[in-house]
Amino acid sequence: MFEKVALIGIGLIGSSIARAIKEKNLADHIAISTRSQKTLDRAKELGLGDSYNIDPTEVVRDADLVIICAPVGAYEAIGKQIAPHLKTGAILSDVGSVKEHVVKALEPHVPDGVHFIPGHPIAGTENSGPEAGFASLFDGKWCILTPIEGTDQDALHRLRDLWVAFGSDVEILDAKHHDMVLAITSHVPHLIAYNIVGTADHLESVTKSEVIKFSAGGFRDFTRIAASDPEMWRDVFLTNREAVMEMLGRFSEDLSMLQRAVRFGDGEMLEELFTRTRNIRRSIIDAGQETDVPDFGRHVSAVEDESGA
Amino acid sequence: MFEKVALIGIGLIGSSIARAIKEKNLADHIAISTRSQKTLDRAKELGLGDSYNIDPTEVVRDADLVIICAPVGAYEAIGKQIAPHLKTGAILSDVGSVKEHVVKALEPHVPDGVHFIPGHPIAGTENSGPEAGFASLFDGKWCILTPIEGTDQDALHRLRDLWVAFGSDVEILDAKHHDMVLAITSHVPHLIAYNIVGTADHLESVTKSEVIKFSAGGFRDFTRIAASDPEMWRDVFLTNREAVMEMLGRFSEDLSMLQRAVRFGDGEMLEELFTRTRNIRRSIIDAGQETDVPDFGRHVSAVEDESGA
């Protein structure tokens, strides 16, 4: 599919792309660069690529596809650095969780003849680093591409076909709209999860050991996304401020209403909301985006562990 | 262990207790009552008990253990109704998610010679009804007992031993403190989950189908607990108002701080919080209260499904 793919950044997403390309034999050569020598050495040990270089300008040379898989705060510097070394006809893409900022940070540096197509796979786990990736991460998940005006359709199709080969469904969205959709489906949920875990960590009336012991009451569900990569998520909130503030405002208004219902004992309002929210989970399961096994299947695994022991 | 156990309410928790008692042969007779004839018939079809009666006064007769497994809003009426029919020496317990209210609602009706010991297993799934239960639900989970002053120690030990036989660890807490601990580990997390799902359902700028499609970005984690039983959770918020308001106040203060950090681009504050919250998940996993499989093991199930297909 591609002759040489260059990956800049080799964490959870970058290493999953490398593994998926290898497993499905989608490129002749995978060249890997990342800012830390230690991570680069680890990628080499894991055999994720065919060549490794701490200098990104070296790996992008002759690459017909370059995918930036670093925290979005690093994009502008990477873009400036690699731009003069990109091959004419190459596709430059990324996997960042925000897209309007990415366009602003990279587009000015992209040379004529290079096809810049931002992308964002809606997939991940709470683990990070090159060990955390796996080839099937994108399978059955959506990948959003946010091409800018005048994008070459052949290049767009080539990139789309790569994600389809990974098992993803591809959706084309406007960058600004992407950022609004992700603010509610991903960014604000992360902020809220980080916040409640932080709140629980700060209490005087309830000890931390009690929070940990009795977390199966619901709290532990929040800790999964509150264990996501800190640097990546810092950059998301720094670069999608407007949409996050808008959605967070909605969330807070609704929470004030709910708080009022609790204060005044409005059982009808509470039950009406709690009934409505059930249906959304059902829709997500029907859309194949969630498991229908109770408790995310944790009980199933526990039972399996037992029988295996 | 017991001659006759009476269960009033046969949903997720009640039916799991029935199954665990049967599987481990902990009682000679299980008598089941519930307010809806349809649910009672379903329990009978599933073979959950040995006798069934829509009238709770009938099932508690001669029972040496009575466990109320109904939404806490129904406790007072149940207590008044069954009190004159309780056997001297019987233990009266429950599984409700709030405890101070339960003591207030039931204690005045408990006749002399009956041992009233409130309980709360910290276990559950998002599913409800008699079909949803399973015998291993309490295995490896905590069960909190909140005995009132002067509780008979033999009765307390008998009840504790039952939960231990289910595989639970038992903790003794003061009712008021229980309500504070559960407000942060369970009630506020549920309120927040219900709220974000409600907010997403109301947006005009993002369609519901986009929310569903791209829910794997984090939102879907919240939908699990937002799919919990509406009536049960309505009653939790109506009866643990004070502790919920206190913890919700803390959460909102912290969220305002975080919102301010986003507005002013305080990356350092964000990264510090996001790093700290990771450790709490690690502690919960180390305490055996959470799986360490990434993404709650959803990926593992997906892979298994594939190989099985």
Side-chain angles (χ1 to χ4, degrees), chain A residues 198-211, chain B residues 177 180-181 184 246-247 250 253-254:
Chain A
T199 300
D201 192 32
H202 267 147
L203 296 171
E204 312 85 37
S205 53
V206 175
T207 68
K208 201 187 286 189
S209 85
E210 286 171 329
V211 169
Chain B
H177 187 62
M180 196 61 95
V181 171
I184 188 69
E246 160 68 20
M247 292 302 173
R250 298 293 192 113
E253 277 171 29
D254 291 349

Side-chain angles (χ1 to χ4, degrees), chain A residues 28 31 39 51-52 58 60 95 103 136 152 189 223-224 261:
Chain A
D28 297 334
T39 308
S51 67
Y52 307 86
E58 289 297 325
V60 304
V95 296
V103 172
S136 63
D152 180 83
T223 62
R224 189 187 78 78

Side-chain angles (χ1 to χ4, degrees), chain A residues 128 177 199 201 210 217 220-221 223-224 227 234 241 254 263 271 276 278 281 289-290 298, chain B residues 128 177 186 199 201 210 220-221 223-224 227 234 241 254 263 271 276 278 281 289 298:
Chain A
S128 37
H177 186 62
T199 300
D201 192 32
E210 286 171 329
R220 63 179 177 156
D221 282 22
T223 62
R224 189 187 78 78
R234 178 201 66 194
R241 179 163 46 192
D254 291 348
R263 185 185 297 279
E271 195 176 354
R276 195 154 47 82
R278 267 197 156 171
R281 182 167 183 82
Q289 292 298 307
E290 179 58 289
R298 285 177 186 132
Chain B
S128 36
H177 187 62
S186 179
T199 301
D201 192 32
E210 285 171 328
R220 63 179 177 155
D221 281 23
T223 62
R224 189 187 77 79
R234 177 201 67 193
R241 179 162 47 192
D254 291 349
R263 185 185 297 279
E271 196 176 354
R276 195 155 47 82
R278 267 196 155 172
R281 182 168 183 81
Q289 293 296 309
R298 284 177 185 132

Side-chain angles (χ1 to χ4, degrees), chain B residues 113-276:
Chain B
V114 169
H115 308 294
F116 170 49
I117 311 172
H120 179 206
I122 313 302
T125 77
E126 64 275 31
N127 295 347
S128 36
E131 301 84 2
F134 48 97
S136 65
L137 178 62
F138 311 112
D139 195 21
K141 296 293 182 304
W142 286 90
C143 179
I144 301 177
L145 300 179
T146 63
I148 51 179
E149 235 188 88
T151 294
D152 180 82
Q153 291 300 303
D154 284 346
L156 182 59
H157 290 161
R158 285 187 74 197
L159 184 61
R160 188 192 59 194
D161 290 349
L162 179 73
W163 285 102
V164 169
F166 291 166
S168 295
D169 291 309
V170 174
E171 178 98 351
I172 307 287
L173 287 184
D174 164 74
K176 199 183 171 71
H177 187 62
H178 165 280
D179 289 356
M180 196 61 95
V181 171
L182 269 289
I184 188 69
T185 57
S186 179
H187 307 172
V188 168
H190 273 78
L191 202 68
I192 291 164
Y194 281 124
N195 192 65
I196 180 91
V197 177
T199 301
D201 192 32
H202 267 146
L203 295 170
E204 312 83 39
S205 53
V206 175
T207 67
K208 199 185 287 189
S209 84
E210 285 171 328
V211 169
I212 289 162
K213 258 185 185 172
F214 306 123
S215 59
F219 179 76
R220 63 179 177 155
D221 281 23
F222 291 74
T223 62
R224 189 187 77 79
I225 52 183
S228 303
D229 189 64
E231 193 185 347
M232 173 198 149
W233 282 97
R234 177 201 67 193
D235 285 359
V236 167
F237 296 113
L238 294 179
T239 57
N240 195 23
R241 179 162 47 192
E242 218 175 295
V244 167
M245 296 294 284
E246 160 68 20
M247 292 302 173
L248 196 54
R250 298 293 192 113
F251 172 84
S252 296
E253 277 171 29
D254 291 349
L255 192 62
S256 295
M257 286 267 295
L258 206 47
Q259 183 166 343
R260 205 169 178 279
V262 172
R263 185 185 297 279
F264 293 107
D266 185 350
E268 215 169 307
M269 189 271 201
L270 296 174
E271 196 176 354
E272 187 277 321
L273 172 67
F274 301 172
T275 304
R276 195 155 47 82

